[in-house]
Amino acid sequence: MHILPRSLFGRLVLVMLTGLVLAQLLSAFILLRDRGQVLYDAVRENLIVRTAGIVHLLDSLTPADRLRLLPLLSGQELQINLSNQPLADSDSESESRLASAVIMRQLRERMPNKKGILVSVEGSIMQSAVHGMHRGGMMGGPPMSGPWAYARGVHAMARFFRIQIQLQDGTWVRFERGLPENIFDWPGNLLFVLVILLFSVILLSLFGVRTMVRPLRDLRQAAEGLGKDIRQPPLKLTGPSEVRETARAFNIMQQRLKNYIEDRAGILAAVSHDLKTPLTRLRLRADLMDDEELRQKTQKDLDEMEAMVGATLDFMRGTETAEPSQRLDLMALLESIQQDAQEAGKDVSIEGSVALPYSGKPLALKRCIVNLVENAVRYGGCAEIVIEEKDNELVITVCDHGPGIPEAQLEKVFNPFFRLENSRAQHTGGTGLGLGIARNIARAHGGDLALGNRAGGGLCASLTLPK
């Protein structure tokens, strides 16, 4: 099981998207966490400032004026009541006491003359953070003692505040305010903006990675096509400097291979021409021989030499052919091979069919399949052609009912001039180059040729061609 993608594009996208998503989530977490703290501090500051102002105002009014003004000062968020006695403090948790102490200290800073101040909170949430030293003011925590006072700042967030302050005439004024439940919820608009930003960055990253990987994909396609057509156009020098240098090196390699093959083809053509001249002279001299038996043996040797020279040149030329690739009816090609073989008295059958045209070199493919059919007829007495069409490839299998080949020699028979029998005479099996030429043609089309023994006896040659 592969966790990482196989392609470079997939791995780059995975790394970039993982980093982007984690960074975005962390940024959103920090932003929203600080947002909640800021909102809480703003509410607490507003409560303290408003409480101190209202207390100063009520101290300057008569009891009757207080009762008339009190409904105007109260609201849905802040409830203000007057009483003769304060409510009992129900704070019991240490967190609540710490939160109360923070508000108590800030109220005394604004109203230093007030002695009767009671503060209680409910549903407090402790949040602690490590600071270099204890900070005062709204962002600071309550006074602390001991070595932790300068190493740890404490922030207590409360869900409900109750502040009770005694006025100058002894009356107690009570302020009660609760925080809405959704004050710390994640805002929808902000989340929407973050999601839009994340998707924008993802799309830009995908485009950037695709742009960087495209030259490598072109290089891969060029490398695959090099075996099919050495004369294909050179790669464009685009992309990053490393990719351009790689493409330039590939183009130089392709040009060198092209020059080498063209030089070799020229040498082979010259050798072929030079060999034909002495063979022709020898054939003429053989015709002038008086001894009939000796003349026939000499002509037979010359025929074998000429056949071997021709087969050798064909094998060395390999995939070098000027024949262009084109769309062809492979089924019609196989049927023509079958008809030619049957006219020559050979047993050749076809099973299966090919639905769509195939892109290839007709003459080269015909020669490849003819070599396989002749090999099957020569050693097995018949040739059974089976066609199997798959999603990405086409398999043409040529089987016979001959003796087969030992497993250890299934690959050796593709070597030039390798034959299982000792004699190299044509009537016992040709020159030993037919299978090698057939494999060269198959690989020139991006496929391959493999041999295998049949379970019931005989040999099967499987020609695989990519679609």
Side-chain angles (χ1 to χ4, degrees):
M1 180 180 180
H2 295 273
I3 299 178
L4 293 177
R6 294 180 179 272
S7 65
L8 177 61
F9 176 80
R11 294 193 178 189
L12 287 176
V13 169
L14 178 62
V15 171
M16 294 189 67
L17 291 187
T18 301
L20 287 173
V21 171
L22 291 179
Q24 197 78 350
L25 291 177
L26 182 61
S27 301
F29 171 76
I30 295 175
L31 176 64
L32 295 176
R33 185 196 63 176
D34 293 341
R35 171 184 174 275
Q37 181 67 51
V38 170
L39 288 177
Y40 175 80
D41 292 340
V43 171
R44 187 176 61 178
E45 174 71 14
N46 175 267
L47 176 62
I48 293 172
V49 172
R50 189 174 178 183
T51 298
I54 292 175
V55 168
H56 288 304
L57 177 63
L58 294 179
D59 272 336
S60 63
L61 299 177
T62 62
D65 292 337
R66 294 172 186 169
L67 292 176
R68 289 194 299 269
L69 186 61
L70 198 61
L72 301 177
L73 298 176
S74 300
Q76 184 176 1
E77 296 180 354
L78 181 63
Q79 299 292 328
I80 305 176
N81 297 292
L82 297 175
S83 63
N84 295 326
Q85 297 292 331
L87 296 179
D89 187 3
S90 61
D91 291 347
S92 58
E93 298 180 357
S94 59
E95 294 88 348
S96 299
R97 290 194 296 271
L98 289 175
S100 301
V102 173
I103 300 176
M104 178 80 71
R105 176 172 57 81
Q106 295 169 351
L107 285 172
R108 291 191 182 280
E109 291 176 355
R110 294 183 176 273
M111 297 178 293
N113 297 327
K114 292 295 182 181
K115 303 299 182 183
I117 299 178
L118 300 176
V119 178
S120 63
V121 299
E122 297 179 4
S124 61
I125 304 173
M126 289 298 297
Q127 291 188 347
S128 59
V130 178
H131 300 278
M133 59 180 299
H134 180 69
R135 296 184 297 165
M138 289 303 302
M139 296 302 293
M144 302 183 69
S145 60
W148 294 100
Y150 296 95
R152 184 170 178 258
V154 180
H155 301 273
M157 289 188 180
R159 294 291 184 183
F160 178 79
F161 301 90
R162 179 185 291 118
I163 301 175
Q164 301 180 88
I165 301 177
Q166 190 176 24
L167 302 179
Q168 293 179 356
D169 60 357
T171 303
W172 288 84
V173 57
R174 183 170 68 252
F175 301 86
E176 295 179 337
R177 175 168 183 171
L179 295 181
E181 293 295 332
N182 61 350
I183 188 173
F184 300 111
D185 292 345
W186 288 20
N189 292 338
L190 179 59
L191 292 178
F192 179 74
V193 171
L194 292 176
V195 170
I196 293 297
L197 178 61
L198 178 61
F199 275 99
S200 300
V201 175
I202 289 175
L203 291 177
L204 290 176
S205 301
L206 291 176
F207 176 76
V209 172
R210 185 178 182 86
T211 302
M212 290 187 295
V213 173
R214 184 182 295 112
L216 296 179
R217 183 192 60 192
D218 296 339
L219 178 62
R220 175 185 61 82
Q221 293 176 350
E224 291 177 351
L226 185 63
K228 298 180 181 180
D229 184 10
I230 194 65
R231 297 181 179 88
Q232 64 182 355
L235 285 174
K236 296 181 180 180
L237 303 181
T238 59
S241 59
E242 294 83 0
V243 177
R244 291 199 303 270
E245 293 299 325
T246 304
R248 183 179 291 107
F250 181 85
N251 291 338
I252 294 174
M253 178 193 68
Q254 178 180 344
Q255 186 62 38
R256 289 176 178 174
L257 289 174
K258 180 181 176 182
N259 294 337
Y260 168 76
I261 293 175
E262 289 178 350
D263 293 342
R264 189 184 69 168
I267 295 174
L268 290 175
V271 169
S272 176
H273 180 271
D274 293 343
L275 285 176
K276 287 181 180 179
T277 300
L279 286 175
T280 302
R281 289 199 301 264
L282 290 174
R283 192 177 296 277
L284 291 174
R285 291 173 183 174
D287 291 338
L288 298 177
M289 290 181 179
D290 295 331
D291 191 337
E292 181 67 22
E293 182 179 358
L294 180 59
R295 184 174 65 252
Q296 291 180 357
K297 291 182 180 179
T298 303
Q299 289 177 346
K300 183 178 180 181
D301 290 339
L302 290 174
D303 291 339
E304 290 183 10
M305 289 176 62
E306 194 169 4
M308 291 178 64
V309 169
T312 302
L313 294 176
D314 289 340
F315 180 81
M316 294 183 68
R317 275 193 290 265
T319 62
E320 273 304 295
T321 175
E323 182 185 8
S325 295
Q326 61 186 40
R327 304 289 290 180
L328 61 97
D329 188 347
L330 195 56
M331 200 65 199
L333 177 64
L334 293 173
E335 290 175 352
S336 67
I337 295 175
Q338 179 191 29
Q339 183 177 0
D340 293 341
Q342 290 176 347
E343 290 177 355
K346 300 175 182 178
D347 184 8
V348 178
S349 63
I350 298 178
E351 178 182 346
S353 62
V354 181
L356 299 176
Y358 180 78
S359 180
K361 301 177 179 181
L363 296 180
L365 285 176
K366 182 176 182 179
R367 183 177 184 185
C368 173
I369 299 174
V370 166
N371 285 356
L372 299 180
V373 170
E374 290 181 349
N375 192 71
V377 172
R378 180 183 297 118
Y379 293 104
C382 65
E384 299 175 356
I385 303 176
V386 180
I387 307 169
E388 184 179 3
E389 191 171 9
K390 300 181 179 179
D391 294 335
N392 300 321
E393 61 183 12
L394 184 66
V395 181
I396 301 176
T397 306
V398 181
C399 299
D400 59 50
H401 294 281
I405 298 176
E407 294 292 334
Q409 296 180 331
L410 285 175
E411 281 297 319
K412 292 182 179 179
V413 294
F414 290 105
N415 296 335
F417 301 109
F418 180 86
R419 300 241 319 271
L420 295 177
E421 63 273 14
N422 295 327
S423 173
R424 288 183 180 270
Q426 281 187 309
H427 68 273
T428 59
T431 60
L433 294 174
L435 289 176
I437 294 174
R439 172 174 275 186
N440 285 348
I441 295 174
R443 290 179 174 177
H445 284 78
D448 203 355
L449 177 64
L451 299 180
N453 291 310
R454 302 178 66 176
L459 184 71
C460 285
S462 298
L463 172 63
T464 304
L465 299 174
K467 288 185 176 180

